[in-house]
Amino acid sequence: AQSVTQLGSHVSVSEGALVLLRCNYSSSVPPYLFWYVQYPNQGLQLLLKYTTGATLVKGINGFEAEFKKSETSFHLTKPSAHMSDAAEYFCAVSAGSQGNLIFGKGTKLSVKP
Amino acid sequence: GAGVSQSPSNKVTEKGKDVELRCDPISGHTALYWYRQSLGQGLEFLIYFQGNSAPDKSGLPSDRFSAERTGGSVSTLTIQRTQQEDSAVYLCASSPRDSYTEAFFGQGTRLTVV
Protein backbone atom coordinates (compact mmCIF):
# COMPACT_ATOMS: atom_id res chain seq x y z
CA ALA A 1 0.00 0.00 0.00
CA GLN A 2 1.08 3.54 -0.66
CA SER A 3 1.12 6.47 1.73
CA VAL A 4 2.45 10.01 1.87
CA THR A 5 3.62 12.07 4.81
CA GLN A 6 4.09 15.80 4.58
CA LEU A 7 6.09 17.26 7.43
CA GLY A 8 4.70 20.57 8.61
CA SER A 9 1.11 21.54 8.05
CA HIS A 10 2.14 25.19 7.89
CA VAL A 11 5.37 26.74 6.63
CA SER A 12 6.12 30.45 6.67
CA VAL A 13 8.96 32.07 4.74
CA SER A 14 9.98 35.59 3.87
CA GLU A 15 9.76 36.83 0.32
CA GLY A 16 13.00 35.95 -1.46
CA ALA A 17 13.86 33.12 0.94
CA LEU A 18 14.25 29.46 0.08
CA VAL A 19 11.10 27.37 0.07
CA LEU A 20 11.43 23.77 1.26
CA LEU A 21 8.34 21.60 1.63
CA ARG A 22 8.98 18.06 2.80
CA CYS A 23 7.36 14.89 1.54
CA ASN A 24 8.12 11.27 2.37
CA TYR A 25 6.35 8.38 0.76
CA SER A 26 5.84 4.69 1.25
CA SER A 27 5.29 2.44 -1.73
CA SER A 28 5.62 -1.27 -2.38
CA VAL A 29 6.23 -0.64 -6.07
CA PRO A 30 8.30 1.99 -7.91
CA PRO A 31 6.32 5.14 -7.23
CA TYR A 32 5.05 7.88 -9.41
CA LEU A 33 5.19 11.08 -7.37
CA PHE A 34 3.45 14.40 -7.76
CA TRP A 35 3.25 17.85 -6.26
CA TYR A 36 0.04 19.81 -6.64
CA VAL A 37 -0.76 23.38 -5.61
CA GLN A 38 -4.16 24.64 -4.53
CA TYR A 39 -5.01 28.32 -4.36
CA PRO A 40 -8.03 29.40 -2.27
CA ASN A 41 -11.33 28.18 -3.70
CA GLN A 42 -9.58 26.56 -6.64
CA GLY A 43 -8.96 23.03 -7.78
CA LEU A 44 -5.57 21.37 -7.80
CA GLN A 45 -2.90 22.31 -10.31
CA LEU A 46 0.03 20.06 -11.10
CA LEU A 47 3.40 21.60 -10.26
CA LEU A 48 5.60 18.69 -11.27
CA LYS A 49 5.78 14.92 -11.42
CA TYR A 50 8.32 12.13 -11.24
CA THR A 51 7.72 8.96 -13.20
CA THR A 52 11.03 7.51 -14.32
CA GLY A 53 14.41 8.83 -15.41
CA ALA A 54 16.02 11.96 -14.06
CA THR A 55 15.54 12.25 -10.32
CA LEU A 56 15.64 16.05 -10.28
CA VAL A 57 12.36 17.24 -11.69
CA LYS A 58 11.64 20.82 -12.69
CA GLY A 59 8.13 22.17 -12.64
CA ILE A 60 6.20 25.34 -13.18
CA ASN A 61 6.72 28.63 -11.37
CA GLY A 62 10.37 27.85 -10.57
CA PHE A 63 9.68 24.83 -8.37
CA GLU A 64 11.68 21.64 -8.47
CA ALA A 65 11.78 18.38 -6.54
CA GLU A 66 14.29 15.59 -6.17
CA PHE A 67 13.34 11.93 -5.92
CA LYS A 68 15.59 10.20 -3.40
CA LYS A 69 14.83 6.50 -3.29
CA SER A 70 17.21 5.81 -0.40
CA GLU A 71 15.43 8.39 1.73
CA THR A 72 11.94 7.72 0.29
CA SER A 73 11.62 11.46 -0.12
CA PHE A 74 10.37 13.90 -2.74
CA HIS A 75 10.91 17.33 -1.23
CA LEU A 76 9.76 20.44 -3.08
CA THR A 77 12.02 23.47 -3.31
CA LYS A 78 12.13 26.94 -4.80
CA PRO A 79 15.20 29.15 -4.42
CA SER A 80 13.34 32.41 -3.90
CA ALA A 81 9.79 32.71 -2.60
CA HIS A 82 7.33 35.11 -4.16
CA MET A 83 4.16 36.45 -2.59
CA SER A 84 2.15 34.65 -5.26
CA ASP A 85 3.47 31.29 -4.00
CA ALA A 86 1.23 31.50 -0.95
CA ALA A 87 -1.06 28.49 -1.30
CA GLU A 88 -1.52 24.94 -0.08
CA TYR A 89 0.77 22.28 -1.50
CA PHE A 90 -0.01 18.59 -1.72
CA CYS A 91 2.36 15.72 -2.33
CA ALA A 92 0.84 12.61 -3.85
CA VAL A 93 1.79 9.11 -4.94
CA SER A 94 0.07 7.17 -7.68
CA ALA A 95 -1.61 4.07 -6.32
CA GLY A 96 -0.87 1.48 -8.93
CA SER A 97 -1.91 1.10 -12.53
CA GLN A 98 -5.29 2.81 -12.31
CA GLY A 99 -3.73 6.14 -11.51
CA ASN A 100 -5.72 7.31 -8.52
CA LEU A 101 -3.66 9.43 -6.18
CA ILE A 102 -2.91 9.06 -2.50
CA PHE A 103 -2.38 12.53 -1.06
CA GLY A 104 -0.52 13.87 1.91
CA LYS A 105 -2.35 16.12 4.34
CA GLY A 106 -1.01 19.25 2.67
CA THR A 107 1.31 22.08 3.67
CA LYS A 108 0.06 25.62 3.74
CA LEU A 109 2.76 28.03 2.62
CA SER A 110 2.67 31.63 3.81
CA VAL A 111 5.02 34.24 2.35
CA LYS A 112 5.82 37.32 4.42
CA PRO A 113 6.79 40.58 2.72
CA GLY B 1 -14.47 22.18 -22.90
CA ALA B 2 -11.13 23.62 -21.96
CA GLY B 3 -10.99 22.01 -18.55
CA VAL B 4 -12.84 19.81 -16.10
CA SER B 5 -16.13 21.40 -15.22
CA GLN B 6 -18.06 20.68 -12.04
CA SER B 7 -21.54 21.79 -11.07
CA PRO B 8 -22.88 23.19 -8.93
CA SER B 9 -19.93 25.06 -7.47
CA ASN B 10 -21.74 25.34 -4.15
CA LYS B 11 -24.59 23.31 -2.72
CA VAL B 12 -26.36 23.71 0.59
CA THR B 13 -28.75 20.94 1.49
CA GLU B 14 -30.75 19.83 4.46
CA LYS B 15 -29.76 16.74 6.37
CA GLY B 16 -31.52 13.70 4.96
CA LYS B 17 -31.91 15.05 1.43
CA ASP B 18 -30.29 13.49 -1.64
CA VAL B 19 -27.80 15.46 -3.75
CA GLU B 20 -26.28 15.00 -7.18
CA LEU B 21 -22.91 16.42 -8.14
CA ARG B 22 -21.90 16.60 -11.76
CA CYS B 23 -18.54 16.37 -13.47
CA ASP B 24 -17.79 17.10 -17.13
CA PRO B 25 -14.30 15.82 -17.87
CA ILE B 26 -11.97 17.03 -20.58
CA SER B 27 -13.13 15.69 -23.92
CA GLY B 28 -11.42 12.43 -24.82
CA HIS B 29 -10.19 11.66 -21.33
CA THR B 30 -10.96 8.05 -20.53
CA ALA B 31 -10.14 8.03 -16.84
CA LEU B 32 -12.22 9.94 -14.32
CA TYR B 33 -11.73 10.22 -10.57
CA TRP B 34 -13.74 11.58 -7.66
CA TYR B 35 -12.05 12.82 -4.50
CA ARG B 36 -13.36 14.37 -1.32
CA GLN B 37 -11.54 17.14 0.51
CA SER B 38 -12.51 17.83 4.10
CA LEU B 39 -10.80 19.54 7.01
CA GLY B 40 -10.42 16.47 9.12
CA GLN B 41 -9.57 13.92 6.44
CA GLY B 42 -7.61 15.82 3.81
CA LEU B 43 -7.98 14.59 0.23
CA GLU B 44 -9.56 11.14 -0.06
CA PHE B 45 -10.01 9.04 -3.17
CA LEU B 46 -13.62 7.99 -3.69
CA ILE B 47 -14.01 6.22 -7.04
CA TYR B 48 -12.31 5.67 -10.38
CA PHE B 49 -13.89 5.23 -13.80
CA GLN B 50 -12.27 3.85 -16.91
CA GLY B 51 -14.76 4.59 -19.63
CA ASN B 52 -18.16 3.88 -18.15
CA SER B 53 -17.06 1.18 -15.77
CA ALA B 54 -15.89 1.67 -12.21
CA PRO B 55 -13.26 -0.95 -11.42
CA ASP B 56 -12.45 0.67 -8.10
CA LYS B 57 -15.16 1.89 -5.74
CA SER B 58 -13.12 1.18 -2.66
CA GLY B 59 -13.05 4.78 -1.49
CA LEU B 60 -16.80 5.31 -1.28
CA PRO B 61 -17.39 5.86 2.45
CA SER B 62 -20.81 4.23 2.70
CA ASP B 63 -23.61 2.74 0.62
CA ARG B 64 -25.25 6.17 0.59
CA PHE B 65 -22.65 7.18 -1.98
CA SER B 66 -22.89 6.07 -5.59
CA ALA B 67 -21.58 7.28 -8.91
CA GLU B 68 -22.13 6.63 -12.56
CA ARG B 69 -20.63 7.69 -15.82
CA THR B 70 -22.40 7.71 -19.15
CA GLY B 71 -21.11 7.89 -22.70
CA GLY B 72 -17.58 7.78 -21.41
CA SER B 73 -18.01 11.40 -20.47
CA VAL B 74 -20.21 13.01 -17.81
CA SER B 75 -20.18 11.57 -14.32
CA THR B 76 -22.62 12.05 -11.48
CA LEU B 77 -21.85 11.47 -7.82
CA THR B 78 -24.99 10.91 -5.77
CA ILE B 79 -25.21 11.10 -2.02
CA GLN B 80 -28.43 9.81 -0.51
CA ARG B 81 -29.80 10.82 2.88
CA THR B 82 -27.03 13.34 3.41
CA GLN B 83 -25.43 13.68 6.83
CA GLN B 84 -23.48 16.60 8.29
CA GLU B 85 -20.24 14.63 7.99
CA ASP B 86 -20.76 14.62 4.22
CA SER B 87 -19.97 18.35 4.18
CA ALA B 88 -16.80 18.73 2.13
CA VAL B 89 -15.46 19.82 -1.23
CA TYR B 90 -15.93 17.14 -3.87
CA LEU B 91 -13.27 17.24 -6.57
CA CYS B 92 -13.37 15.54 -9.93
CA ALA B 93 -10.33 14.86 -12.08
CA SER B 94 -9.83 13.36 -15.51
CA SER B 95 -6.85 11.90 -17.28
CA PRO B 96 -6.16 10.82 -20.86
CA ARG B 97 -4.61 7.62 -19.54
CA ASP B 98 -4.34 6.13 -16.13
CA SER B 99 -1.18 5.47 -14.16
CA TYR B 100 1.41 8.17 -14.47
CA THR B 101 -0.10 10.88 -16.60
CA GLU B 102 -1.35 14.14 -15.20
CA ALA B 103 -4.80 14.27 -13.68
CA PHE B 104 -6.61 17.52 -14.43
CA PHE B 105 -8.81 18.72 -11.61
CA GLY B 106 -12.03 20.68 -11.63
CA GLN B 107 -12.65 23.47 -9.16
CA GLY B 108 -14.85 21.31 -7.02
CA THR B 109 -18.32 21.39 -5.53
CA ARG B 110 -18.54 22.67 -1.97
CA LEU B 111 -21.29 20.71 -0.24
CA THR B 112 -22.72 21.96 3.03
CA VAL B 113 -25.23 19.83 4.90
CA VAL B 114 -27.25 21.78 7.46
Side-chain angles (χ1 to χ4, degrees), chain B residues 62-107:
Chain B
S62 76
D63 58 8
R64 295 186 297 104
F65 286 72
S66 63
E68 66 174 11
R69 189 179 184 193
T70 55
S73 182
V74 173
S75 176
T76 303
L77 177 69
T78 301
I79 309 173
Q80 295 179 307
R81 304 181 302 282
T82 51
Q83 303 294 313
Q84 286 188 330
E85 61 262 29
D86 299 334
S87 296
V89 176
Y90 291 82
L91 291 166
C92 175
S94 70
S95 177
R97 283 186 298 169
D98 52 20
S99 192
Y100 52 84
T101 56
E102 177 179 355
F104 294 81
F105 282 80
Q107 297 204 357

Side-chain angles (χ1 to χ4, degrees), chain B residues 8 24 29 38 49 51 57 61 74-75 81 91 98 110:
Chain B
D24 282 273
H29 281 193
S38 56
F49 286 92
K57 304 179 182 179
V74 173
S75 176
R81 304 181 302 282
L91 291 166
D98 52 20
R110 181 176 297 277

